[in-house]
Amino acid sequence: TNSSSIEINGKEYKTDKWFNTPPNILSNVPRRLHLQKDHPVYITRQIIESVFPSPTYKYHNTFDPVVSTLQNFDSLGFPSDHPGRAKSDTYYINESTLLRTHTSAHQADVFRANLSPGYLISADVYRRDEVDRSHYPVFHQMEGARSWDRGSAASASGDISQLIWSDVEKLPKHSMKVEDPNPPYHPERNPLQSGHHSPDEAEAIGAHLKRSLELMVVEIFSRAAQAAKKADPNFVDEPLRVRWVEAYFPFTSPSWELEVYYAGDWLEVLGCGVVKQDLYINAGVPSQLGWAFGIGLERIAMLLFQIPDIRLFWSQDNRFLNQFTGVSDNLESLRRFVPFSKYPGCPKDVSFWLKSTSSAGGNVKANAHDFHENDVMEIVRSICGDTVEDVKRIDDFTHPKTGRRSLCYRINYRSLERTLTNQETNEMHDKVTQALVEKLGVELR
Ligand code: PHE
């Protein structure tokens, strides 16, 4: 059999039966919105970088998005059956090569290079996901970390918590109200790495981590309030409410998420924790210890600029881009996004039966067991590009006698840039319907 290959960023990769990355995803690889001056993702990166100053923090912004399963999963301690590894969630090039699903894919390499006490990595990341106004299969993350070295800062006891606490003291104070009801670590829910860290060390690292990230939130939301006041001089910024909640990541312990109260809801803005010591050990720097965090840049940019739909970040329309001109060179000029008029939407439904599960052997393309909703999402995206606002499952029915399952999805066609004609909407919907039959083997109702 012939082996095929594809080129990404000028490099050639062999594909195999794991290859599931469609052309519309690959075409976004060169965009690198975090490097496009005056783009809201770029501006958001700049603001966060300003809180983690060079040279303590070194910025890495051009790492290649094609990584190995070793980098993306194994080096971080993801178990071999972790759902994130599934083809339904991740874009693979071949069995051992994929488009990174998070910036943590570079943690081990940057620890190994050991160039600076801290770092920030900004990059495009890729995930198969639902279609709605806050999800897009390509988005941007920033990873940050700060390490201390036992070797260069040896103390008689080997405990360097005093050194870390002194760095906590050097951080600026802030007056934001923070809810942090949980202990610094918890034996079951959020354990200390007791074989590696003293309780004082874990507490000091956690304090430095939390204070640093709180300062970042203060900076972002004071910029957001400034922008709001430009739009409306009578705007009064409500006191910012943030809280720390316990979390789990395979590569940190203890771990937390930071949530911000926004428009009546607690919104998760980042994940973080004390780096698992195995990462440092495997990276050849066993005497280091420290923290790491990861944050989604679009989500922050949506809050900062009041951008209502994540598709807008990919727009080449000057009615979008021109609103941010000059901001990179003068952050004081940051203003809210002024939406251009919303074009009419056109919802259309498609209903189908999943292939019966009882078919014995044969050519089953997709039965109820290997049906993944993300496959529906991807078919819609690859045919309609950015002209779909969201896709929602509106019915899920299992026939009481035959046991067959039927699903109905509502696809809301709406361009951000123009009014779609009836004819083109109908044509797209027909193509989607056909592709569902051909690719998933469903039977239309
Ligand atoms: N990589 C994690 C995610 O994408 C976030 C994270 C980064 C958590 C670093 C802890 C430390 O969800």
Side-chain angles (χ1 to χ4, degrees):
T1 57
N2 280 330
S3 63
S4 314
S5 65
I6 54 158
E7 197 186 299
I8 307 173
N9 281 344
K11 271 182 234 153
E12 193 89 353
Y13 299 90
K14 281 216 153 56
T15 56
D16 62 15
K17 66 177 200 293
W18 282 73
F19 179 55
N20 65 346
T21 311
N24 61 312
I25 297 299
L26 290 170
S27 70
N28 282 331
V29 169
R31 294 286 299 275
R32 306 203 294 179
L33 302 180
H34 63 294
L35 300 179
Q36 182 181 325
K37 203 172 176 208
D38 287 339
H39 191 283
V41 172
Y42 179 109
I43 296 163
T44 305
R45 170 176 69 80
Q46 274 185 298
I47 294 173
I48 302 178
E49 285 177 352
S50 75
V51 188
F52 297 98
S54 169
T56 302
Y57 294 87
K58 183 171 164 55
Y59 310 145
H60 302 275
N61 294 331
T62 57
F63 287 150
D64 199 282
V66 182
V67 300
S68 63
T69 46
L70 185 80
Q71 288 170 296
N72 200 84
F73 297 121
D74 303 279
S75 71
L76 294 160
F78 279 77
S80 54
D81 60 351
H82 192 278
R85 295 183 187 250
K87 272 171 99 173
S88 58
D89 288 32
T90 295
Y91 291 110
Y92 281 88
I93 306 303
N94 58 49
E95 188 176 6
S96 59
T97 314
L98 49 84
L99 294 175
R100 69 184 151 224
T101 65
H102 55 176
T103 42
S104 303
H106 303 289
Q107 267 193 28
D109 296 338
V110 181
F111 286 140
R112 188 173 299 109
N114 195 16
L115 300 171
S116 52
Y119 63 76
L120 295 179
I121 302 166
S122 297
D124 39 320
V125 301
Y126 299 77
R127 292 185 195 175
R128 298 184 85 220
D129 219 326
E130 56 204 282
V131 178
D132 66 29
R133 269 171 291 179
S134 61
H135 290 89
Y136 203 82
V138 189
F139 60 102
H140 297 77
Q141 277 189 331
M142 185 186 272
E143 188 93 359
R146 174 69 199 268
S147 304
W148 289 266
D149 196 315
R150 288 185 201 281
S152 63
S155 76
S157 63
D159 175 317
I160 59 165
S161 56
Q162 282 316 311
L163 174 86
I164 303 170
W165 278 118
S166 79
D167 280 342
V168 176
E169 293 309 312
K170 286 180 210 148
L171 291 170
K173 305 268 183 289
H174 64 73
S175 56
M176 176 176 67
K177 187 170 164 350
V178 179
E179 298 167 40
D180 190 5
N182 294 301
Y185 47 86
H186 183 279
E188 287 100 43
R189 298 193 311 260
N190 216 2
L192 161 76
Q193 298 175 54
S194 53
H196 299 292
H197 303 153
S198 75
D200 286 347
E201 283 172 333
E203 192 168 346
I205 295 170
H208 193 276
L209 168 62
K210 287 174 177 172
R211 179 84 67 77
S212 302
L213 293 172
E214 288 160 10
L215 286 166
M216 176 193 75
V217 170
V218 167
E219 178 66 19
I220 288 167
F221 282 84
S222 74
R223 300 252 176 219
Q226 260 177 17
K229 277 178 199 144
K230 280 189 197 132
D232 170 10
N234 296 321
F235 176 86
V236 264
D237 39 336
E238 299 210 7
L240 192 56
R241 286 179 70 195
V242 305
R243 71 177 183 194
W244 288 104
V245 298
E246 291 171 329
Y248 174 80
F249 302 100
F251 41 95
T252 52
S253 192
S255 308
W256 303 276
E257 279 165 1
L258 181 64
E259 297 184 340
V260 175
Y261 195 73
Y262 179 78
D265 267 319
W266 285 101
L267 190 75
E268 179 204 320
V269 297
L270 61 85
C272 63
V274 178
V275 176
K276 286 253 181 97
Q277 207 56 34
D278 280 346
L279 260 98
Y280 289 114
I281 294 168
N282 296 335
V285 286
S287 63
Q288 301 203 359
L289 66 174
W291 55 250
F293 75 88
I295 188 167
L297 293 178
E298 275 85 349
R299 184 170 280 194
I300 299 299
M302 287 172 91
L303 297 174
L304 187 57
F305 295 94
Q306 299 284 301
I307 293 172
D309 189 313
I310 199 165
R311 290 176 291 166
L312 282 162
F313 291 103
W314 300 90
S315 172
Q316 318 254 26
D317 189 325
N318 281 331
R319 288 174 298 173
F320 178 73
L321 293 173
N322 286 352
Q323 295 199 28
F324 313 100
T325 306
V327 178
S328 290
D329 288 329
N330 175 18
L331 288 177
E332 298 305 311
S333 70
L334 189 151
R335 4 182 115 251
R336 283 184 162 183
F337 171 64
V338 182
F340 26 100
S341 61
K342 218 174 166 182
Y343 297 95
C346 177
K348 287 189 183 291
D349 295 351
V350 55
S351 301
F352 49 80
W353 294 104
L354 294 186
K355 227 175 182 163
S356 152
T357 47
S358 53
S359 67
N363 250 338
V364 183
K365 279 184 191 158
N367 65 33
H369 289 303
D370 57 30
F371 173 80
H372 291 287
E373 192 154 283
N374 281 344
D375 295 337
V376 175
M377 303 295 168
E378 187 145 287
I379 285 170
V380 174
R381 284 197 195 279
S382 59
I383 291 171
C384 311
D386 287 355
T387 58
V388 170
E389 181 171 276
D390 57 35
V391 179
K392 287 200 185 83
R393 188 176 62 228
I394 57 169
D395 192 41
D396 186 342
F397 163 78
T398 302
H399 192 283
K401 291 216 178 87
T402 63
R404 281 186 92 189
R405 185 171 167 211
S406 113
L407 297 170
C408 180
Y409 286 90
R410 177 159 298 164
I411 304 172
N412 191 21
Y413 296 87
R414 189 206 302 272
S415 164
L416 291 165
E417 292 165 359
R418 63 199 175 82
T419 300
L420 301 172
T421 66
N422 267 332
Q423 192 191 340
E424 69 181 318
T425 310
N426 287 334
E427 280 171 12
M428 275 193 288
H429 195 64
D430 286 346
K431 279 193 194 149
V432 168
T433 308
Q434 270 174 35
L436 290 170
V437 173
E438 281 162 21
K439 299 212 161 106
L440 305 184
V442 304
E443 185 188 317
L444 298 176
R445 292 191 63 169

